[in-house]
Amino acid sequence: FLDKSDKYDSRDVERLQQDDKWVENYLIWRHDVVDDTLKMIDESFQWRKEYTVNDLSESVLPKWLFEIGALFLHGYDKEGYKLFWFKVKHHTRDPKQQLEKKKLVAFWLEHYAKRDHGKPLTVVFDMAETGISHIDLDFVRFIVNCFTDYYPNFLTKIVIFEMPWIMNAAFKIVKGWLGPDAISMLKFTNKSDVQEYISGEYLPPHMGGTDSFKYSYPPLVDDDFQTPLCENGPITSEDEHESKEEIDADTKEAGELNEAQNLNQKKMNSIEQISKSEETDKTEVKPKNAKKALTTFKGPLLHISPAEELYFGSKETGEKKCLIVLTNVTKNVVAFKVRTTAPEKYRVKPSNSSCEPGTSLDIIVSLHGGFAASLQDRFLIMAAEMDQSSGAGVPELTQFWKEVPRTKVMEHRLRCHVIESSKPSSLTLKDNAFNIPAKTNEDLHIQLTHLLQINKRLEEQMNRCLWFQQLSVVLSLLSVTVAAFCFYLAYAQRS
């Protein structure tokens, strides 16, 4: 059916033929039933062409749609999924505006799907301060259909906050549109239990949270990384001296930074070899955490390790530093910037610099004292090629980022992972950040000694058990011998 070019957008057909992940998502969402999967692809492709999804942008939608703030992306739930907010009180029924509002939903979903490679969303229906005038079942049904019929494997749950009693009957109708899988995703909440799904840092005050975020347009509020990361985070009394030194280091010319790169080149090569050996030896059994941390994202400009997650320790384990390794795979200098959703927590060194062709560079991400890493924290690495004639000092980099086209910027996102008890991978740093192998060997030695002690105790217990067993056998044999002798004497006397 993909040959019907008049029925579908040719860009969707081309993407389906090249993007295995997209096909896999359709199959997963339809429980690997091929006929159902093909039907969903057919319906979603027709819908995508009807709504011109591939061409939706800010310029083709009315500005007032963005300004009212009824729909936007902001924050994460407790599982780390992006939140898609529908502020129902800002929505009113109007048949004349319905198509444009539906296109706004499609715009946000497509915009996010392209930006974050289709990572699932959590929908939040904030129904505080709503009444009968805000009930629009056609619009609600459209939003539900987007997830059940058009965007496969894109929904984690629907959190409904403070649904008015007057809407109970309406939502019984909504449930009728949903299959059993989608119904299980509905979470009806109020102020007392909404934090089971979303932590207070991403909830506004009227929902019992502490998020001071206020919607405004422009710019689009789908990007948590709009505000550039202050070069090294806030300075606190306990690390003021260290922070000042790092700030001074960040303002030096790129040539001086390259000198630091060369000092760490041996360590980088060893880490890259570990990464390569992991990729080539698929049968080797490795610790789960180490495997994750040593994976590499292979971008067109930079290879980034780790590929997905930074491993920090909890307050108990105390790991406060992580290492990001950037490798320039181009023939030009690559400028890069690092941003975070929580600049008050982290110090990044360097956060705005450049990487020479064919070389690797370390970025150290440090947690400030008193802070703990959160699953909701994110990091964004932006990179773009520079002309050979361009300088790589701070002024040149500042000007470069003002002028570089968005289409030429590579972006990659990392999320945080918190280690509760076990040791993180070798890419997680302690205070002696550049002594990774020694630290790892020391940990292994401690664990090995502990295992040997346990083994010794078990061996002693087994020896005691064997001794008791042998004693029991001897006593049993003696008892049998005595009994036999008694029977023999009794028999002899009778004779």
Side-chain angles (χ1 to χ4, degrees):
F1 69 90
L2 291 175
D3 295 331
K4 302 175 182 178
S5 56
D6 58 329
K7 192 177 180 182
Y8 313 121
D9 187 321
S10 60
R11 289 167 290 185
D12 291 331
V13 176
E14 184 179 352
R15 180 187 166 192
L16 191 74
Q17 292 169 338
Q18 297 175 355
D19 190 343
D20 292 341
K21 182 65 177 176
W22 206 22
V23 178
E24 182 184 353
N25 282 337
Y26 277 110
L27 282 165
I28 291 171
W29 199 240
R30 286 295 179 256
H31 304 289
D32 292 326
V33 179
V34 176
D35 289 343
D36 290 351
T37 302
L38 291 174
K39 182 181 178 182
M40 182 178 181
I41 293 173
D42 176 53
E43 291 176 355
S44 65
F45 275 29
Q46 289 187 62
W47 170 81
R48 291 175 66 85
K49 183 173 184 179
E50 178 188 353
Y51 277 75
T52 62
V53 172
N54 288 313
D55 297 312
L56 290 177
S57 65
E58 290 178 75
S59 60
V60 302
L61 292 169
K63 187 178 179 181
W64 66 265
L65 277 177
F66 294 98
E67 290 175 337
I68 60 175
L71 289 164
F72 58 87
L73 291 157
H74 173 69
Y76 298 87
D77 69 8
K78 283 192 169 182
E79 297 177 280
Y81 295 115
K82 191 76 176 177
L83 298 176
F84 184 40
W85 292 85
F86 179 26
K87 296 282 188 178
V88 182
K89 71 177 182 179
H90 296 313
H91 177 83
T92 52
R93 291 191 307 272
D94 187 344
K96 295 179 182 178
Q97 300 173 355
Q98 200 74 321
L99 179 60
E100 291 177 329
K101 288 181 178 179
K102 289 179 178 179
K103 285 192 173 185
L104 178 66
V105 175
F107 164 81
W108 277 118
L109 296 180
E110 189 68 14
H111 185 71
Y112 177 75
K114 288 178 178 177
R115 194 197 77 180
D116 255 9
H117 310 294
K119 292 179 182 177
L121 290 167
T122 290
V123 177
V124 183
F125 281 95
D126 181 3
M127 306 186 79
E129 303 177 32
T130 58
I132 193 72
S133 63
H134 303 106
I135 298 177
D136 188 345
L137 291 184
D138 179 58
F139 191 67
V140 171
R141 182 170 191 169
F142 175 77
I143 293 177
V144 170
N145 283 350
C146 282
F147 289 100
T148 56
D149 299 337
Y150 308 142
Y151 283 88
N153 206 29
F154 207 50
L155 178 67
T156 61
K157 55 187 153 304
I158 300 174
V159 178
I160 301 168
F161 180 75
E162 289 191 351
M163 187 181 73
W165 66 269
I166 200 169
M167 292 187 175
N168 284 335
F171 260 85
K172 285 181 180 178
I173 298 173
V174 172
K175 284 184 178 181
W177 303 331
L178 302 172
D181 293 337
I183 287 177
S184 67
M185 296 178 180
L186 289 175
K187 312 296 179 185
F188 292 90
T189 65
N190 52 43
K191 201 170 182 177
S192 64
D193 58 7
V194 67
Q195 293 198 36
E196 290 181 20
Y197 308 103
I198 307 168
S199 61
E201 64 180 312
Y202 289 120
L203 290 173
H206 77 270
M207 296 177 73
T210 58
D211 192 355
S212 59
F213 168 78
K214 300 292 184 185
Y215 178 90
S216 63
Y217 176 83
L220 287 177
V221 292
D222 67 318
D223 194 348
D224 291 313
F225 306 92
Q226 292 180 84
T227 305
L229 171 68
C230 51
E231 290 300 315
N232 291 288
I235 297 174
T236 58
S237 57
E238 65 178 306
D239 55 9
E240 181 174 358
H241 179 69
E242 181 186 359
S243 295
K244 285 182 178 178
E245 286 182 349
E246 290 178 348
I247 291 171
D248 292 340
D250 274 348
T251 58
K252 291 183 179 180
E253 296 292 324
E256 296 172 2
L257 287 168
N258 293 336
E259 187 176 337
Q261 286 175 227
N262 295 331
L263 292 174
N264 298 319
Q265 192 63 46
K266 289 183 179 180
K267 178 171 62 59
M268 289 304 94
N269 291 338
S270 67
I271 291 175
E272 289 171 358
Q273 287 170 5
I274 293 171
S275 301
K276 289 176 183 176
S277 67
E278 181 196 36
E279 291 172 1
T280 55
D281 189 4
K282 299 294 183 183
T283 61
E284 185 179 353
V285 178
K286 294 177 183 268
K288 184 178 179 182
N289 291 343
K291 184 176 181 181
K292 278 190 175 182
L294 291 175
T295 56
T296 301
F297 167 77
K298 296 183 177 180
L301 307 181
L302 295 174
H303 286 184
I304 302 171
S305 183
E308 296 180 358
E309 295 181 327
L310 293 179
Y311 286 75
F312 285 95
S314 63
K315 288 184 178 180
E316 290 72 26
T317 55
E319 285 97 14
K320 295 292 185 180
K321 294 185 179 181
C322 281
L323 180 69
I324 302 173
V325 183
L326 305 183
T327 303
N328 184 348
V329 293
T330 73
K331 295 181 179 180
N332 296 317
V333 175
V334 172
F336 67 86
K337 290 199 295 186
V338 183
R339 295 178 176 181
T340 179
T341 56
E344 74 283 356
K345 288 186 181 181
Y346 300 96
R347 182 171 63 252
V348 179
K349 168 67 168 63
S351 63
N352 185 5
S353 187
S354 61
C355 189
E356 293 294 317
T359 64
S360 296
L361 182 141
D362 297 348
I363 297 175
I364 299 174
V365 182
S366 308
L367 260 173
H368 284 288
F371 285 101
S374 168
L375 295 174
Q376 287 80 31
D377 295 342
R378 296 289 190 277
F379 288 85
L380 171 69
I381 299 172
M382 303 171 65
E385 281 187 282
M386 301 181 73
D387 294 332
Q388 295 286 1
S389 58
S390 302
V394 173
E396 289 86 356
L397 286 170
T398 302
Q399 188 63 29
F400 171 77
W401 285 112
K402 289 180 180 178
E403 297 174 352
V404 64
R406 180 82 174 180
T407 54
K408 294 187 177 181
V409 177
M410 180 194 106
E411 293 187 355
H412 184 65
R413 289 163 171 79
L414 297 170
R415 57 181 178 267
C416 286
H417 186 93
V418 181
I419 305 294
E420 293 298 335
S421 56
S422 60
K423 282 283 180 182
S425 72
S426 59
L427 287 181
T428 302
L429 306 180
K430 288 288 241 180
D431 291 336
N432 56 337
F434 301 107
N435 195 22
I436 296 171
K439 196 66 180 175
T440 305
N441 291 337
E442 180 182 301
D443 295 337
L444 289 173
H445 177 72
I446 292 170
Q447 292 176 12
L448 183 58
T449 304
H450 183 60
L451 287 172
L452 287 172
Q453 290 173 347
I454 294 173
N455 184 62
K456 186 177 180 180
R457 286 197 297 270
L458 288 172
E459 192 174 358
E460 290 172 353
Q461 291 174 0
M462 286 180 65
N463 288 335
R464 283 197 296 270
C465 289
L466 286 171
W467 185 83
F468 280 116
Q469 188 179 33
Q470 291 170 354
L471 181 61
S472 300
V473 170
V474 171
L475 291 173
S476 298
L477 289 172
L478 284 173
S479 300
V480 171
T481 303
V482 170
F485 184 71
C486 291
F487 279 117
Y488 174 75
L489 289 176
Y491 179 80
Q493 289 175 355
R494 288 179 183 178
S495 301

